[in-house]
Amino acid sequence: MSGVPSGVPESSSGSSRREVDLVPVEAADEFERELLEVSALLASTVDRRRNQLHRDSMVDVIDTHEDAVETAARLVTDAAKQVDVVLAAEPAYSEAVHGALTALLSGTGRRTSRVRLLCTPSTLDWRFVSAHAAEPRVRTRVARIPALVAVIADDEHALVCAASVSGRRASVVRAPGVIQPLVALFDGVWRNAVEVSDRIEFGDKTRADIAQQILERLRAGVTDEVAARELAMSVRTYRRYVAEIMALLGANSRFQAGVRAAELGLLISQSAGERR
């Protein structure tokens, strides 16, 4: 005999009861452990994929102004062949980029083949222009353009800071489909911008004041007779001044001389803060 009391089913003994009750619990625990391991693996895979996508992204948004300024300067100093720069906003960018360009151009270990700097009158740094006026690989032009900062390094990497619906946004771009139109846009503005070869000096303060008044009248289209009378000089003297100013600005017409003077921030009507 088995020793099990009569009337009690064999399955209801203590050892058998424990076996019946514990098997489902152990199976549930094992399933839960496996599910947790699969969940952890899935989460790890998603994280790795997200990080990979971030590394491979062709456009990265920069969150802070400080990081954007630092990135602009770094793109300049890392350029191997050429760098195109648009400075039409924020003094912080202007200072950082001019400093990076100075460091790049003064380096002896590497020679960048071309630097093109496109500024507005307010971001034009005459000290930088004068320091590099003799270098054919460095060219600076001035144009009236909307508030924009762009650095294009080797036609492969770019930083763009411009207004958007959510405020000013800065982005690093590596996508050829974005950089190529950006370079084309730069070239278009560059062709129509005013070349700056060196600081334009009209002479002593008296002559400089007279030149600025003449430039104001050239831009306004005032006739020689009226302008000479307003400036209390003869028409002959006025015309001699005009010829000298046109030659200094490299202008082919009087109107062009006035426009170029406005682009370069040389007019009296422009705030002193626009000339550096």
Side-chain angles (χ1 to χ4, degrees), residues 154-176:
D154 300 324
D155 289 349
E156 295 178 353
H157 301 82
L159 175 134
V160 179
C161 177
S164 68
V165 292
S166 57
R168 290 193 67 76
R169 297 287 297 274
S171 301
V172 174
V173 181
R174 292 180 292 274

Side-chain angles (χ1 to χ4, degrees), residues 85-275:
V85 179
V86 179
L87 289 178
E90 286 104 348
Y93 282 104
S94 182
E95 294 174 7
V97 170
H98 277 113
L101 285 171
T102 299
L104 176 68
L105 294 169
S106 62
T108 56
R110 179 174 58 197
R111 299 287 290 180
T112 299
S113 61
R114 185 190 71 185
V115 172
R116 295 191 298 177
L117 180 57
L118 187 61
C119 303
T120 63
S122 62
T123 59
L124 177 62
D125 189 333
W126 283 109
R127 293 167 297 181
F128 177 85
V129 173
S130 298
H132 301 285
E135 298 188 53
R137 62 184 177 138
V138 182
R139 299 176 67 188
T140 302
R141 292 189 178 185
V142 176
R144 298 283 178 175
I145 49 181
L148 170 70
V149 173
V151 177
I152 310 170
D154 300 324
D155 289 349
E156 295 178 353
H157 301 82
L159 175 134
V160 179
C161 177
S164 68
V165 292
S166 57
R168 290 193 67 76
R169 297 287 297 274
S171 301
V172 174
V173 181
R174 292 180 292 274
V178 177
I179 291 181
Q180 291 172 3
L182 185 62
V183 172
L185 177 62
F186 182 97
D187 290 340
V189 177
W190 180 263
R191 284 193 296 269
N192 296 301
V194 176
E195 186 83 29
V196 183
S197 58
D198 201 350
R199 188 179 183 90
I200 297 175
E201 299 286 358
F202 294 115
D204 57 27
K205 186 178 185 306
T206 300
R207 289 180 63 85
D209 290 343
I210 293 173
Q212 287 179 321
Q213 294 180 60
I214 291 174
L215 285 168
E216 291 281 1
R217 286 158 176 79
L218 289 178
R219 186 176 67 157
V222 177
T223 64
D224 291 356
E225 290 74 16
V226 172
R229 185 168 60 251
E230 290 177 347
L231 296 175
M233 63 177 66
S234 68
V235 174
R236 182 178 179 179
T237 300
Y238 177 82
R239 288 174 176 168
R240 187 175 69 248
Y241 270 117
V242 169
E244 292 174 357
I245 291 171
M246 288 177 59
L248 194 59
L249 293 174
N252 297 319
S253 68
R254 297 180 174 208
F255 178 76
Q256 187 181 47
V259 171
R260 290 194 171 186
E263 297 289 358
L264 294 171
L266 299 175
L267 299 180
I268 298 173
S269 58
Q270 295 172 312
S271 64
E274 289 188 349
R275 299 194 299 272

